[in-house]
Amino acid sequence: MKTRTDSPPIGFIILDAAWNFKYVNDFGAQVLNRKPTDLIGKHVWTEFPKAVRHAVYHLFLQARTTEEEVEFEEFVKPSGMWVHVNAYCVSDCIHVVIRQIQMIEREVTLQSEFFYKYTDHVQDLIMLTTDDGMIRYVSPSINQLLGYEDVDVIGTNVLDYCYEGDLSALQGSYLAKFDEASRGKGSVTCRFLHKHGGTVWFENNFNWLVNEEGERSEKLGIWRDVTERKHIEEELTKSKANLEMAHKIAGLGHYDWDILNNVVYASQGLLAIFGLELDTLRLPVEAFFDCIHPQDVKQLQEDMERAFQTGSMNSSYRIMLDGGQKQRIFHTLARTTYDEAGRPVRFFGTSQDITLQKQTEELLRKAEKLKLPGNWRPGSHMKSATR
């Protein structure tokens, strides 16, 4: 990116140890949209409180703390100027040298190639930052999306607007090594702080721009509001958790068997009721057959083969737990789906623990056999014996 500096005027400012203006020349005051006499003796951060969010604040502190010269570019909102700044410590004072720079090529590029290109997609936010995150350009849509005016954020750091919990992800997109294979492209998802409170989820697809030396210099990103999508994902996650809890209470689990690849995608609930403590939810069907009672394996296989032909299955079987020390009874309902050639490809179903139900049915059946003629009820013979 080339800049033009045809005999630019030079501004000069001196700040004393208490951060008060000690000297300001005409151009230095012009950059701040003030007159020199309006600034002398005034506290710089009191006069320009919003500057504390810009790089200038931290870099001036750095110059004073380290006593080493700092050099940077800054957008000065009061005058709307981009300036090149050198600041260094002399005794207890900070001396500041300011030169105006004109970003002609950048402005033309942004307006013609990017801004107008995305006019029909006003929900998207277009942002250009330096390689350390300072915002050089942001589209006016930031007002609609985050409540800020574009001139309020130009010159500040994009990291200042990121939700703390997502800061490492956004920082990582700046710190990651330049990848030639991806041609400097990437994406990151994070939340930004809205001016009036709350957060907004954004998905950022970005591209690193390189300078004449082939080094990355600026990051151009398209930020899309994905808050609604994130809320839907969160609701689905909650619904899934609630479903898993309901399945656990009911002793219910579900599965999806990819027949061609012999992979069963099992729910956590199904693994739990089968007594399988595994890190994966993808298992071969044999892992489940290993749990089936040996006397029920053949019948279950026949029921499944029949389901491949008819399209559905309704079957009960026993499983062995704790190395065969315990057994439970399960009922399964399943359906088969087919490809265009009529071959079975997927087998979807649910399995429910019906052990208690079967035990209750067995007790009722036995009680039915013990019934005596007449109006017999449990305990009636005891009452007769005590009369």
Side-chain angles (χ1 to χ4, degrees):
M1 183 74 67
K2 295 181 179 179
T3 59
R4 190 181 70 192
T5 56
D6 298 333
S7 301
I10 296 177
F12 191 64
I13 296 173
I14 299 178
L15 302 171
D16 65 19
W19 298 107
N20 296 316
F21 287 96
K22 186 175 182 179
Y23 173 81
V24 185
N25 73 352
D26 288 338
F27 183 68
Q30 181 184 340
V31 170
L32 298 175
N33 200 27
R34 299 284 187 89
K35 295 179 180 179
T37 54
D38 295 335
L39 294 172
I40 300 300
K42 301 290 182 63
H43 187 264
V44 61
W45 310 127
T46 302
E47 291 298 304
F48 304 98
K50 291 185 178 181
V52 297
R53 297 192 65 179
H54 290 238
V56 61
Y57 176 76
H58 304 286
L59 290 169
F60 277 11
L61 286 178
Q62 178 182 324
R64 171 156 285 169
T65 302
T66 64
E67 296 186 353
E68 294 181 358
E69 183 177 355
V70 294
E71 182 178 2
F72 58 95
E73 291 180 2
E74 180 80 356
F75 177 76
V76 185
K77 182 184 174 183
S79 60
M81 293 184 188
W82 275 99
V83 295
H84 185 93
V85 180
N86 290 78
Y88 49 93
C89 207
V90 178
S91 296
D92 292 333
C93 298
I94 295 290
H95 289 218
V96 183
V97 179
I98 303 171
R99 297 177 177 84
Q100 184 181 10
I101 55 177
Q102 297 175 336
M103 309 296 182
I104 295 177
E105 291 187 17
R106 176 182 294 124
E107 292 174 358
V108 171
T109 300
L110 285 170
Q111 293 296 326
S112 61
E113 185 176 348
F114 298 112
F115 183 80
Y116 292 114
K117 179 179 179 181
Y118 294 101
T119 299
D120 294 334
H121 304 281
V122 292
Q123 73 274 23
D124 292 340
L125 179 65
I126 305 168
M127 186 181 295
L128 182 72
T129 67
T130 61
D131 61 353
D132 60 357
M134 186 178 74
I135 301 171
R136 290 193 181 279
Y137 171 84
V138 66
S139 60
S141 56
I142 192 171
N143 180 257
Q144 178 183 351
L145 293 168
L146 292 171
Y148 302 98
E149 296 294 336
D150 51 355
V151 293
D152 291 336
V153 300
I154 292 176
T156 62
N157 197 294
V158 65
L159 300 176
D160 294 339
Y161 303 93
C162 185
Y163 176 68
E164 184 177 1
D166 302 329
L167 191 57
S168 60
L170 184 57
Q171 286 176 324
S173 69
Y174 281 92
L175 298 175
K177 185 177 180 181
F178 186 78
D179 185 3
E180 291 290 346
S182 65
R183 302 182 66 181
K185 297 180 180 180
S187 64
V188 63
T189 302
C190 63
R191 284 163 287 185
F192 273 178
L193 303 173
H194 195 282
K195 182 178 181 179
H196 304 299
T199 59
V200 181
W201 274 104
F202 282 96
E203 182 179 75
N204 173 221
N205 291 291
F206 60 83
N207 185 33
W208 280 104
L209 307 180
V210 297
N211 56 25
E212 295 178 353
E213 290 74 33
E215 300 173 340
R216 65 184 188 185
S217 57
E218 294 174 313
K219 184 182 181 185
L220 179 68
I222 309 299
W223 298 80
R224 173 156 293 182
D225 184 349
V226 294
T227 305
E228 184 176 356
R229 189 188 78 189
K230 280 292 184 179
H231 287 167
I232 293 173
E233 290 175 356
E234 290 172 1
E235 289 300 319
L236 288 174
T237 300
K238 291 178 182 178
S239 296
K240 182 179 179 181
N242 291 337
L243 180 62
E244 291 287 354
M245 180 60 70
H247 282 185
K248 184 177 181 180
I249 294 172
L252 183 69
H254 59 270
Y255 56 88
D256 171 12
W257 181 18
D258 179 350
I259 300 171
L260 297 181
N261 296 306
N262 191 29
V263 175
V264 178
Y265 300 87
S267 68
Q268 288 283 5
L270 186 65
L271 294 180
I273 59 182
F274 267 72
L276 299 173
E277 297 182 0
L278 302 172
D279 295 331
T280 179
L281 302 181
R282 301 174 55 174
L283 298 168
V285 73
E286 288 78 13
F288 292 95
F289 269 103
D290 289 343
C291 301
I292 306 299
H293 194 291
Q295 296 178 3
D296 294 345
V297 171
K298 183 178 179 181
Q299 183 61 53
L300 183 59
Q301 289 175 332
E302 291 176 354
D303 290 345
M304 294 175 70
E305 288 293 336
R306 192 177 302 109
F308 294 162
Q309 302 296 323
T310 63
S312 63
M313 182 177 79
N314 185 338
S315 181
S316 297
Y317 54 90
R318 292 168 293 175
I319 67 169
M320 308 298 294
L321 300 174
D322 297 337
Q325 298 299 312
K326 298 179 182 179
Q327 67 179 38
R328 309 291 292 179
I329 305 172
F330 281 83
H331 176 250
T332 186
L333 292 171
R335 290 189 177 278
T336 309
T337 60
Y338 307 88
D339 62 13
E340 295 178 354
R343 295 176 300 179
V345 291
R346 304 296 278 247
F347 196 59
F348 302 91
T350 61
S351 288
Q352 184 173 20
D353 187 343
I354 59 170
T355 305
L356 182 60
Q357 176 186 333
K358 286 295 184 180
Q359 290 173 343
T360 302
E361 290 175 355
E362 180 63 17
L363 289 174
L364 290 173
R365 185 183 62 80
K366 290 180 178 180
E368 190 71 25
K369 287 184 177 181
L370 292 174
K371 278 188 177 180
L372 298 176
N375 295 325
W376 179 89
R377 63 184 180 279
S380 60
H381 63 290
M382 297 296 294
K383 293 181 180 179
S384 299
T386 57
R387 287 180 180 174

